[in-house]
Every structure is written in structure tokens, then in C-alpha cells.
Amino acid sequence: MTFNTFGHMFRFTTWGESHGEAIGCVVDGVPPLIPLSEKDIQPYLDKRRPAQSRHTTQRKETDTVKILSGVFEGKTTGTPISLIIYNEDQKSKDYGEIKDSFRPGHADYTYMMKYGIRDYRGGGRSSARETAMRVAAGAIARKILGSSITIRGAMVQMGDDATAKRDWAQVPKNAFWCPDSATAKCWEKSLDTIRKEGSSIGAVVEIVAEGVPVGLGAPIYKKLDSDLASAMMSINAVKGVEIGDGFAAAARPASRRPLCCQAHQLDFNAS
Amino acid sequence: MTFNTFGHMFRFTTWGESHGEAIGCVVDGVPPLIPLSEKDIQPYLDKRRPAQSRHTTQRKETDTVKILSGVFEGKTTGTPISLIIYNEDQKSKDYGEIKDSFRPGHADYTYMMKYGIRDYRGGGRSSARETAMRVAAGAIARKILGSSITIRGAMVQMGDDATAKRDWAQVPKNAFWCPDSATAKCWEKSLDTIRKEGSSIGAVVEIVAEGVPVGLGAPIYKKLDSDLASAMMSINAVKGVEIGDGFAAAARPASRRPLCCQAHQLDFNAS
Amino acid sequence: MTFNTFGHMFRFTTWGESHGEAIGCVVDGVPPLIPLSEKDIQPYLDKRRPAQSRHTTQRKETDTVKILSGVFEGKTTGTPISLIIYNEDQKSKDYGEIKDSFRPGHADYTYMMKYGIRDYRGGGRSSARETAMRVAAGAIARKILGSSITIRGAMVQMGDDATAKRDWAQVPKNAFWCPDSATAKCWEKSLDTIRKEGSSIGAVVEIVAEGVPVGLGAPIYKKLDSDLASAMMSINAVKGVEIGDGFAAAARPASRRPLCCQAHQLDFNAS
Amino acid sequence: MTFNTFGHMFRFTTWGESHGEAIGCVVDGVPPLIPLSEKDIQPYLDKRRPAQSRHTTQRKETDTVKILSGVFEGKTTGTPISLIIYNEDQKSKDYGEIKDSFRPGHADYTYMMKYGIRDYRGGGRSSARETAMRVAAGAIARKILGSSITIRGAMVQMGDDATAKRDWAQVPKNAFWCPDSATAKCWEKSLDTIRKEGSSIGAVVEIVAEGVPVGLGAPIYKKLDSDLASAMMSINAVKGVEIGDGFAAAARPASRRPLCCQAHQLDFNAS
């Protein structure tokens, strides 16, 4: 089965546990002659890197990616591209207590029930660390798509506090990737309070793709909406996905909707 | 590619256009020795059948399903099960106008751009009629799951009017499959008004599965949440999917969530 | 799993038992705008049809194929093409003896051990009748390939009597599809004798494809040689496959082989 | 597409070029709780290792395999197992001539035509070096199968000189893995002569599996014969595959064949 594989023509298989020696992926279906080096992938991993502010997990990792195959003289060759990131923050510690308990809301219990064994040093495969390899594979996909398609993302809601502002230039300037600098400041204070209470809080992320060609994707079970929803929901902790108007569409009579929903803009939300 | 195929171990491939001679599916991966006849499938198709009230599409179809293979002496044999439903309401009519225009919100334009040809007699493959074969395949899946898992569904919101009541006994008793008889009556009036205005309106459906074994599904890219989201989003007009608390989870600090989210109950919403 | 599916971009799923109501297949991945009707498929089925001479199985079938979906106004639409052939020779008879015994060399015993049930009326899925749907799907593939690729086949050996002659014009003129009319006459006599002894005999079939573009197929596990071998071996009774020189290549030092094996000619043998 | 992936429930994806930094594979679908370490895999790689005699390629590699994921405290966890072998014999040299010519009988030309780029330092992906990862993945498969199935292989023919002897104890004792010590000595002399002529020669390998359960594999397109043929033909230079009696079966009337071909013994030849 292809549990650890995502995609159709372009497909990647990820491997590695959060506290193992390394994590990696094999990207198959990349067209030949695409210029590619680690420099095309690393910036996306740097954005994702934890411990850049006090608001995220404090695990220290440089997440330096290395291409092991599929690229020759600076170009893809059409053969599988193997990527690897060595784990640095694997400090041996006493797992005595963790070993015998399950963290609420995590997949530990499910893995134990399903496989009869679990890597108690951390989330193993179900750790958010697995998403680093999606980011790396995504960076290659980004190169293939070219510059006619733009894809932007931002965090637009924390807890029940949503912002309607979309000042994309602000996104990389605050710790929350928020498109509204004022809101980002509020969130900073709120989150400090929540963290002091020993708690955490949910968020909504919005992604906007522009320049998407009409007819991209495949019909029925592999349609773009379906693949996007599947991808989003496979990220740990994601519990909802909306495309276009999403749930708001349910509340509006059809006559008040725009007559022509063109395919060149695609918005979707994942919480 | 497997555009028209859904599933992994149990998988089905659907075929047929809304105004073609027939629609059907091939269900592969069904274990042997499961007692199966058309009588196990027909009741689910009868529930789905259009034109049972004035509130749905008025197309007249009996949707009589026939098993063409994979069953011998009343039992599955482990070989592919071919199901067919002949289309009855294929009346030849003047498509003059429809032929040259695209219906807003439908996939007509996308198909035309992608394939350079479309079946202008109706939605073709993108018609909601395709879902009849999912219902048929689902009826077989239901037989395989056995009685320890219960799955119930209801329409819990129309437009912006949601009901909190879950009186499951009411569901089959009204035209909206609503778990609240009072709300169903309101919806009936509202929808009559909306229909007179020549409009339509969205809805939210809730599905509750109980008795689901811990660890069902596969990890990462094929996890149950991911497969459910993919399946829901592949249904025409579905624009949002929530699992468990869904978007509401974003608004609640972690400390106020139940400590132990057990896997034996799974709720998800699709709008 | 995709037990009953063959192919990658172009893929078909077959269904149906030898003594069921019908057999059929769903062909997915057919490009749009290919002119297609039953007339493109039927001639290949007519060639395959049993009981055309006394030398083959005497089952009487017209094997009339019907297209149920995927074609609109004489052209493919890019949607799945469903093909069906109704079984005519399903006469009810007394299966008393057959029911409790297994035919040597057939898959009956294997199916019974694997599934705990078998369709004792005939070979079920393992019947050579399943190959009718490959022929039908192949006829569609043939249309897609176009006229620049030619594919020819002939029976070149019966028992230990092989012919070196390749007079392709003779192939459709004798009951053995033999490219040598003199040999065909010998085989006729031999086979009559063998049949009177209540026995049967094996054969070698040669297929020659010309005009195949360099690089057709995919590397490594899906390379053309690999896919062809897999396809051939999945036919009942096939026990050997050779590509190019096949086993003869083992016997020849490399220096005596042609320096440049070009990809525009591809021969393979299947016994 | 899954060009670089082999298998169904148990499946592996290989990556890496003959002259790249490393080669590797990701093995998915391994059941949990199987005891596994590098010590289970290395002996098979040692057997395969080139340059153990003067009769094979003289490339020097220790082929030391490392497990990067999927094993915790000496047992498999059900998650993907990543294996890596670093290439040692990557000496930088002058590729001046090789760069602009294609080696006869190799896939260089095909890759160039297909992808417009090739790794001219060696066979790249089409190098026999890719088979090292199949051996590694196969070693894991071997652990899963357990001791009730025995699989043995030997080289039984070189050029046109075949041996009928099957003294399995002799196999590991000579440079040809020949089950007949006298024949091995002849081959040694012959091959020295052939090599001095600057030539090479083909061979036939026989593999015998015993204790195979009836019904192993899947029907039709994924039947065991089909998967074995596909796997064998995907190995560079393999041009023919026989199962059981293979081509010899064609030459024998059915009445002279054994009445009951039991599935507990499976022989196949690959040249």
C-alpha cells in the first residue's frame, strides 16, 4: 500500500521518525531538465524551521537538506530525487515516564493499538516533523509549476480572533505569518498568556493560488478539491478544510452567488 | 491514472454519464463468502432516489441495480463485482440552447477546456448521478463492515439555519433527512419560497460513525481523516469538510478540550 | 488492490465469469476526441472468437461488444469507457461431477484454497474467456497508437515443430494463424491425431511490433519489457516469455551480437 | 507514476545512480514487530558484491547498508524502512570520450532520447548497481516470509553449456554459483578465453522456491507468474523468463504432463 506516498504523476514517499537518525523523501515523476539544487529547497525549509520565535516548538534543528540522487550537473534527469535531512536534536534522555503514557490528542495510542509497538521517544512518524519532507518535495513541485502560478499563504485566525485584512507584505514580518500587523501584535500577547497557562490554541490558515489553469487536476475522485482536502487533512492536527466559500456557501442562496466561478482563483482554508 | 477509482484494499471504479445508456461500477477487493444480492444494495439506492419530494431534482429514475459478476450462489467469490443501473429518463429533447452555453457553478466549462469535448445533454460524468454508484458500492462496504459499526447521517443545517437536535428516529420521516421535525417543517416553507424565486440553497450534512476500531485506516497520507475528506470533496458541490470539532477546534484552547479523544466515535461534517 | 486492472496511464479493469451473465471491462485514461465505435472493436473479437475451426474450444459465442459509456457523438470524451459482452452459451446443465472435482492444470484448486469458494460452472475468472476483454481494450489502445506503429502476431511453433518462415499474408488464411501454409497443413493433421487421443498440445506465438518510438515505456520496474512479460504471463497457460533474442541470447558471446540494438523493432515470444 | 516502485502490499521504491553519492530504497508495507537489523541484510549484499572473482565487474564496493528508519529497539514498527548504501568507487576521471558516445546494448541511448539528458558517468539508473537495492529489500521480504518457504538459486547455463546437476551444496563454493563443480571448472576456462577476446557471454539462472502456500499471489493481472516475470524482466540484460516447464511445455502433449501440478513447488528460469 502507498501509506507514505502522496501524489499521482508527481509523487513523493516520505520516511523517518522524529527522533531517528534522519528523515527524508523520494520524489518521483519530476520532469527532466529542471534546474535544481539544494538552494531551491532550503529557503522553504528555513521558513518552516521550528524555534524561530518563542511561539513555536523549541526543538533546535537547522534542517539542512541534501539531494542524494536525480540531479546531474544542476538539472533533474527524470529519475527519482532522494532528499535527506539529518536530525540534530536527538539528545538521549530519560524516557522513563513518556515510555508508559500516551499524550492526549496525539497518535501514540492509535499507533500502539494498530502496530503493537511505538517509538516512544517522540511522535515517530506522526510527529509534525514529517511535514518537513512535504515542504522539501513541495519546493520541487514549485519549481516545476513555474512563475505563472502564484501561491500565497497566511495565518488568518487564532482561536476565535479572525482578521479580514490581507496585506501579504506583512506575512513574513511577524512570528505568526499574519497578513495584518496589528492583529499579529494582539496574538503575541494572547499567546503569551495562553502559554503561561500551560495551554495551546488552534488557528486557521488561508492559502490562495492564482493563475491556476482551467481544468488542472483530474475529474471525480482525483479532482483538485479532493486532492487538496486529502493533503490538508493528512497534516497532524488539521480538522477542517474549506475550498472557495466553504461552509459559508451553505448559508447563501444560489441567486446571490457570483454567476461565474472562474477557475483562475482558488482559495482554500485549513484549520 | 485512477481518476475514476476510489479506495485501497476495497476499491471501486465508476463509469457512465447522466444521459448515457447506463451507469455502473466495478467493485474490487471484496472478501469472499459475504452473502450478497441486489436486495442488500437496492434499499440504499431507494433512499437516494431523486424526485421523492418536490424539494429535489425531478428526474424520474427507479435506479434498479443489477449484479453482473462476482457473486455465485448468493455469496461473493473474491472476484470483481460489476453493478449496472440502466438510465430510464433519457428522453431525447432539443438541446439547442444548452449545447452552446455553460451552466454557472457546474463543471461543463472545465470539462470543455480540459478535454475539448463535452456531453452537452447533461452533467455527463460530473452529474450528481455519478454518486448513485458510490451509494451502491457503499452498500457492499456496509455488508463487509458488519453490525458492530453503526453509521448515521442527517442534514443538520439549511442556509444559515442549523439545528442542534439529534433525534435520529426523525431522520427518515421528513423530506430533508433532518433529525428535528420542527426544523424540517420550517425548512419546507423556506425552501418553497427559495424555489419560487428560482434559486437554491446550500446545506450541511453530519455523519456519525460509532464502534470504529482504534487504528482503522492507515497512517500519514492515507489516514482515515484524509480519505474521508477526499471522498467528501469529490462529491459535486461539496466545499468544506470538518472532522470531529472541525473549525470550532481552532477557537478553543487545548486545555479546555477533552483530555482523551478516543477513536471509537468519529463525527464529521460536509457542506 | 488492483488485481483485475492492467496498465498505467491507459488502464483497464476486467470483470465477469465464464458462465456468468456477462463479461466486461472499464477502460480508463483514453484521450478525448479519438473516433470510436463498436465497429473498431468487433473485428478483433471476431478474430478471437472460439469455434471458428474444429481446432479450438467449441463454445458458441458471437461475442458482440457494446460500448456503454465514454463515447459521445462518435468520439471519446476522456471519461471511462465501459464495454460489455453478454454470455450466450450459458446453458444450464448438470454440474454434479464437475462440482466436486478439480481439473488438472486449471486454477480451480488454487481459487478454492485461496477463497474457500469457486464458481464450479467453468473457469470463472480464470477462464480464457477473460481474455476477450483484453482484446476489446487492446482494440481501443490500437486506435490510440495510430498507424505509425504496426503490430503483427502469428503462431510459429506447435509442439516441437517450429517454422522459420514469416509469410505474414498467410496468417489469416489458416486455422492456426501460421505464417507458413505448408506447416499449417502439417499441424492440421497432427492436431487431429492428438485430439483423437484425447490430448492437447502447446504452442509458441510470436509478436512483432515495428515503428515503436525510442524510449517508449518507463524505466526500471515499469519498463516495456517488464510490462510485456507481466501481461503475457497473466494469460492462462502462458509459461514463458522472451524479448528480442530471448534465451538464445544467453548462448551467444556478446562480440557476435549486433553492435547497435535499435529500439524501433521489438520481437517477443510467448509460449 | 510508480516507475521506481515494485510490489503491492510489500513495496519498495529505489533511488540513486551508479556514480552518484549513494543509492537507497524505501520499503513500505513491512509488518511491525519483525526483528531486523543491518545484519539481516548485509549477507545478501555480500553475496551480490562485485569484484569477488575475476569473472565479474571489477568495481570495488563494500556495499555497506545502513537502516535509517522504520526500526526501533531492533524491531520493525510498521513505518517505512529507509536503506542507504554510500557509493565508494566514484573516482573522478576523464569522461571525455564516454560523454559523447553510447555503449551498445545499454540504455544510454534510450535515456537520452526519452529525457534529453543522461548521467554519462555510468549507467545511472539503468546500471546493474540498482539491483543492490532489490537485494536489500529482498532480504527484508525474506525475513517476513519466515523459514517455511525455501528459495534457492543457481546459474545453470553459460552460453550454450547447460548443466542438469543440482548439487545445491556446491553453489556457494564456486565463482559461478553453479550447482555442479565440474561444470564450474569448465566455465572458468571458457570465460577466461572469452574475456581475453574482449567479449562477454550470457547465462541462465534457475530459482526454486519450495513450501510456497497454495493461492499465494493474486488472480489475473497480479498473479504470481505475472509478478515474477515482471520482476525478472526489469533486471538489466534479462531477455527471457520461464515458469515451471516454460517453453518446454509447448513441445509436450498435455496427456504426457503430470496430472497434478501442485503449487508447493515453483521453478522459474530467467536468462
Side-chain angles (χ1 to χ4, degrees):
Chain A
M1 307 304 294
T2 59
F3 305 153
N4 299 287
T5 300
F6 187 80
H8 309 295
M9 304 289 289
F10 173 93
R11 59 164 51 206
F12 61 91
T13 301
T14 69
W15 57 266
E17 290 84 37
S18 61
H19 289 72
E21 182 167 342
I23 56 172
C25 69
V26 183
V27 187
D28 210 348
V30 177
L33 301 169
I34 306 274
L36 188 74
S37 78
E38 281 93 351
K39 284 178 190 162
D40 295 302
I41 305 170
Q42 195 61 49
Y44 292 93
L45 287 164
D46 289 347
K47 276 193 193 178
R48 182 202 166 277
R49 206 176 62 227
Q52 299 189 66
S53 77
R54 67 183 182 280
H55 306 300
T56 64
T57 175
Q58 292 305 300
R59 178 170 173 151
K60 300 283 180 197
E61 294 284 356
T62 59
D63 279 348
T64 308
V65 71
K66 198 168 160 51
I67 297 175
L68 291 172
S69 70
V71 175
F72 182 60
E73 298 186 335
K75 284 178 189 154
T76 60
T77 60
T79 61
I81 298 173
S82 175
L83 302 176
I84 196 166
I85 292 174
Y86 287 93
N87 288 329
E88 296 163 357
D89 194 355
Q90 289 179 267
K91 54 187 169 217
S92 103
K93 58 176 178 181
D94 182 9
Y95 289 102
E97 269 177 67
I98 295 171
K99 193 173 171 174
D100 302 315
S101 62
F102 298 106
R103 295 168 303 166
H106 285 75
D108 304 18
Y109 179 69
T110 311
Y111 269 77
M112 193 64 200
M113 287 297 102
K114 189 173 183 71
Y115 295 112
I117 185 173
R118 71 177 176 118
D119 182 340
Y120 52 73
R121 294 169 302 173
R125 283 292 288 163
S126 69
S127 165
R129 187 147 183 71
E130 189 271 340
T131 62
M133 297 323 304
R134 307 183 188 206
V135 168
I140 298 177
R142 199 66 204 80
K143 277 288 258 190
I144 299 169
L145 288 177
S147 57
S148 58
I149 297 179
T150 62
I151 304 170
R152 289 183 293 198
M155 180 170 146
V156 297
Q157 185 178 332
M158 189 180 82
D160 50 15
D161 185 16
T163 176
K165 211 172 173 183
R166 294 293 179 271
D167 182 352
W168 295 104
Q170 288 302 319
V171 173
K173 294 184 182 160
N174 61 74
F176 296 90
W177 309 97
C178 177
D180 177 359
S181 58
T183 298
K185 271 170 208 155
C186 294
W187 291 353
E188 209 159 320
K189 283 176 205 162
S190 291
L191 192 54
D192 282 340
T193 310
I194 291 166
R195 199 171 45 245
K196 276 169 205 158
E197 290 172 356
S199 186
S200 63
I201 195 156
V204 175
V205 166
E206 182 175 287
I207 299 152
V208 181
E210 284 170 289
V212 178
V214 176
L216 190 73
I220 316 284
Y221 301 104
K222 301 293 182 297
K223 72 180 173 189
L224 201 51
D225 290 13
S226 188
D227 277 358
L228 288 170
S230 169
M232 289 299 115
M233 277 291 190
S234 73
I235 298 174
N236 344 33
V238 171
K239 285 290 159 193
V241 181
E242 293 180 306
I243 311 248
D245 284 338
F247 283 92
R252 231 176 353 160
S255 56
R256 277 167 241 154
R257 290 179 207 155
L259 268 182
C260 184
C261 295
Q262 289 173 320
H264 64 253
Q265 185 168 331
L266 179 86
D267 304 67
F268 65 93
N269 291 321
S271 88
Chain B
M1 307 304 293
T2 58
F3 304 154
N4 299 287
T5 300
F6 187 79
H8 310 294
M9 304 289 290
F10 173 92
R11 57 164 52 206
F12 60 91
T13 302
T14 69
W15 56 267
E17 290 83 38
S18 60
H19 289 72
E21 183 167 340
I23 56 173
C25 70
V26 182
V27 186
D28 211 348
V30 177
L33 302 170
I34 305 273
L36 187 75
S37 77
E38 282 92 351
K39 284 179 191 163
D40 294 303
I41 305 171
Q42 196 60 49
Y44 292 93
L45 288 164
D46 289 346
K47 275 194 193 177
R48 182 202 166 277
R49 207 176 63 228
Q52 300 191 67
S53 77
R54 67 183 182 279
H55 306 300
T56 64
T57 175
Q58 293 304 301
R59 177 170 175 151
K60 300 281 180 197
E61 294 285 356
T62 59
D63 280 349
T64 308
V65 71
K66 200 169 157 49
I67 297 174
L68 291 172
S69 69
V71 175
F72 182 61
E73 297 186 335
K75 284 180 187 153
T76 59
T77 60
T79 62
I81 298 173
S82 176
L83 302 177
I84 196 165
I85 293 174
Y86 287 94
N87 289 328
E88 294 162 0
D89 194 355
Q90 291 177 268
K91 53 186 168 220
S92 104
K93 58 175 178 182
D94 182 10
Y95 290 102
E97 270 178 67
I98 295 170
K99 193 173 170 173
D100 302 315
S101 62
F102 297 107
R103 296 167 302 166
H106 284 76
D108 303 19
Y109 179 69
T110 310
Y111 269 76
M112 193 64 200
M113 288 297 103
K114 189 173 184 72
Y115 294 112
I117 185 172
R118 71 177 173 117
D119 182 339
Y120 52 73
R121 294 168 303 173
R125 282 293 288 163
S126 69
S127 164
R129 187 146 184 70
E130 189 270 341
T131 62
M133 295 324 301
R134 307 184 188 205
V135 168
I140 297 177
R142 199 65 203 79
K143 277 288 258 189
I144 299 169
L145 287 178
S147 58
S148 58
I149 297 179
T150 61
I151 304 170
R152 289 182 293 195
M155 180 169 146
V156 297
Q157 185 177 332
M158 188 180 83
D160 50 16
D161 185 17
T163 176
K165 211 173 172 182
R166 295 293 179 270
D167 180 352
W168 296 104
Q170 288 301 319
V171 174
K173 294 185 182 160
N174 61 75
F176 295 91
W177 309 97
C178 177
D180 176 0
S181 57
T183 298
K185 271 170 207 155
C186 294
W187 290 354
E188 209 159 321
K189 284 177 203 161
S190 286
L191 192 55
D192 281 340
T193 309
I194 291 166
R195 198 170 46 244
K196 275 168 204 158
E197 289 172 358
S199 187
S200 63
I201 195 156
V204 175
V205 165
E206 183 176 285
I207 298 152
V208 181
E210 285 172 288
V212 178
V214 176
L216 190 73
I220 317 283
Y221 300 105
K222 301 294 182 295
K223 71 181 173 188
L224 199 53
D225 289 13
S226 188
D227 276 358
L228 288 170
S230 170
M232 290 298 115
M233 278 292 192
S234 73
I235 298 173
N236 344 34
V238 171
K239 285 291 159 193
V241 181
E242 294 180 305
I243 310 247
D245 284 338
F247 283 93
R252 232 180 348 163
S255 56
R256 277 168 241 152
R257 290 181 207 154
L259 267 182
C260 184
C261 296
Q262 288 173 321
H264 64 254
Q265 184 167 329
L266 178 85
D267 302 65
F268 65 95
N269 290 322
S271 89
Chain C
M1 306 305 293
T2 59
F3 305 153
N4 299 286
T5 301
F6 188 80
H8 310 295
M9 304 290 289
F10 172 93
R11 58 163 52 205
F12 60 91
T13 301
T14 69
W15 57 266
E17 291 83 37
S18 61
H19 289 72
E21 182 167 343
I23 56 173
C25 70
V26 183
V27 187
D28 211 348
V30 178
L33 300 169
I34 306 274
L36 188 74
S37 78
E38 281 92 351
K39 284 178 191 163
D40 294 303
I41 305 170
Q42 195 60 50
Y44 293 93
L45 287 165
D46 290 346
K47 275 194 193 176
R48 181 202 167 278
R49 207 177 63 227
Q52 300 190 67
S53 76
R54 68 182 182 280
H55 306 299
T56 64
T57 174
Q58 293 305 301
R59 179 171 172 149
K60 300 282 179 197
E61 293 286 355
T62 59
D63 278 349
T64 308
V65 71
K66 200 169 159 48
I67 297 175
L68 291 172
S69 70
V71 175
F72 182 59
E73 297 186 336
K75 284 178 187 153
T76 59
T77 61
T79 62
I81 298 174
S82 176
L83 302 176
I84 196 167
I85 292 174
Y86 287 94
N87 289 329
E88 295 163 359
D89 193 356
Q90 288 179 269
K91 53 185 170 221
S92 104
K93 57 175 177 180
D94 182 9
Y95 290 103
E97 269 177 66
I98 296 170
K99 195 173 170 175
D100 301 316
S101 61
F102 299 106
R103 295 168 301 166
H106 285 74
D108 303 19
Y109 179 69
T110 311
Y111 269 77
M112 193 64 199
M113 287 297 103
K114 189 172 183 71
Y115 294 112
I117 185 172
R118 70 177 177 120
D119 182 340
Y120 53 72
R121 294 169 302 173
R125 284 292 288 163
S126 69
S127 165
R129 188 146 183 71
E130 190 270 341
T131 62
M133 296 323 303
R134 307 183 187 206
V135 168
I140 298 177
R142 199 64 203 81
K143 279 287 260 188
I144 299 170
L145 288 177
S147 58
S148 58
I149 296 179
T150 61
I151 304 169
R152 290 183 291 198
M155 180 170 146
V156 298
Q157 185 178 332
M158 189 180 82
D160 50 15
D161 185 16
T163 176
K165 211 172 173 183
R166 294 292 179 271
D167 182 352
W168 296 103
Q170 288 301 319
V171 173
K173 293 185 184 161
N174 61 74
F176 295 90
W177 309 96
C178 177
D180 177 359
S181 57
T183 298
K185 271 170 208 155
C186 294
W187 289 354
E188 208 159 321
K189 282 177 206 160
S190 286
L191 192 54
D192 281 340
T193 309
I194 291 165
R195 200 171 44 246
K196 275 169 204 157
E197 291 171 357
S199 187
S200 63
I201 195 157
V204 175
V205 166
E206 183 175 284
I207 299 152
V208 181
E210 284 171 289
V212 178
V214 177
L216 190 74
I220 317 283
Y221 301 105
K222 301 294 182 296
K223 72 180 173 189
L224 201 51
D225 290 13
S226 187
D227 277 358
L228 288 170
S230 169
M232 290 299 115
M233 277 291 192
S234 73
I235 298 173
N236 342 33
V238 171
K239 285 291 158 192
V241 181
E242 294 180 305
I243 311 248
D245 284 339
F247 283 93
R252 229 174 358 156
S255 56
R256 277 166 242 155
R257 289 181 209 155
L259 267 183
C260 183
C261 295
Q262 287 174 321
H264 63 253
Q265 184 168 329
L266 179 84
D267 303 66
F268 63 94
N269 291 322
S271 85
Chain D
M1 307 304 292
T2 57
F3 305 155
N4 299 286
T5 301
F6 187 80
H8 310 294
M9 304 290 289
F10 173 93
R11 57 163 52 204
F12 60 90
T13 301
T14 69
W15 57 266
E17 290 84 38
S18 60
H19 289 72
E21 183 167 341
I23 55 173
C25 70
V26 182
V27 187
D28 211 348
V30 177
L33 301 170
I34 305 274
L36 188 74
S37 78
E38 282 92 351
K39 284 178 191 163
D40 295 302
I41 305 171
Q42 195 61 50
Y44 292 92
L45 288 164
D46 290 346
K47 275 194 193 177
R48 182 201 166 277
R49 208 176 63 228
Q52 299 191 67
S53 77
R54 68 182 182 280
H55 307 299
T56 65
T57 175
Q58 293 304 301
R59 179 171 174 151
K60 301 281 180 196
E61 293 285 355
T62 59
D63 280 348
T64 308
V65 71
K66 200 169 157 51
I67 297 174
L68 291 172
S69 69
V71 175
F72 182 60
E73 298 186 335
K75 283 179 188 152
T76 59
T77 61
T79 62
I81 298 174
S82 176
L83 302 177
I84 196 166
I85 293 173
Y86 287 94
N87 288 329
E88 295 163 358
D89 193 355
Q90 289 178 270
K91 53 186 168 220
S92 104
K93 59 175 177 181
D94 182 9
Y95 290 102
E97 270 177 67
I98 295 170
K99 193 174 171 175
D100 302 315
S101 62
F102 298 106
R103 294 167 304 166
H106 285 75
D108 303 19
Y109 179 69
T110 310
Y111 269 77
M112 194 65 199
M113 288 298 102
K114 188 172 184 73
Y115 294 112
I117 184 172
R118 71 176 175 118
D119 182 339
Y120 53 73
R121 294 169 302 174
R125 282 293 288 162
S126 68
S127 165
R129 187 146 184 70
E130 190 269 342
T131 62
M133 296 323 301
R134 307 183 187 205
V135 168
I140 297 177
R142 199 66 203 80
K143 277 288 260 191
I144 299 170
L145 288 178
S147 57
S148 58
I149 297 180
T150 61
I151 304 170
R152 290 183 292 196
M155 179 170 147
V156 297
Q157 186 178 331
M158 188 180 82
D160 50 15
D161 184 18
T163 176
K165 210 171 174 184
R166 295 294 178 270
D167 181 352
W168 296 104
Q170 288 301 320
V171 173
K173 294 185 181 160
N174 61 75
F176 296 90
W177 309 96
C178 177
D180 175 0
S181 57
T183 298
K185 271 170 208 155
C186 294
W187 290 354
E188 209 160 322
K189 284 176 204 159
S190 285
L191 192 55
D192 281 340
T193 310
I194 290 165
R195 199 170 45 245
K196 277 168 203 157
E197 289 171 358
S199 187
S200 63
I201 195 155
V204 175
V205 166
E206 183 175 284
I207 298 151
V208 181
E210 285 171 288
V212 178
V214 177
L216 190 74
I220 317 284
Y221 301 105
K222 301 294 182 296
K223 71 181 173 188
L224 200 53
D225 290 13
S226 188
D227 276 359
L228 288 171
S230 170
M232 290 299 115
M233 278 291 191
S234 73
I235 298 174
N236 345 34
V238 171
K239 285 292 158 192
V241 181
E242 295 180 305
I243 310 246
D245 284 339
F247 283 94
R252 230 175 355 157
S255 57
R256 277 169 242 153
R257 289 181 208 154
L259 268 183
C260 184
C261 296
Q262 288 174 320
H264 63 254
Q265 183 167 331
L266 179 85
D267 302 67
F268 65 95
N269 291 322
S271 88

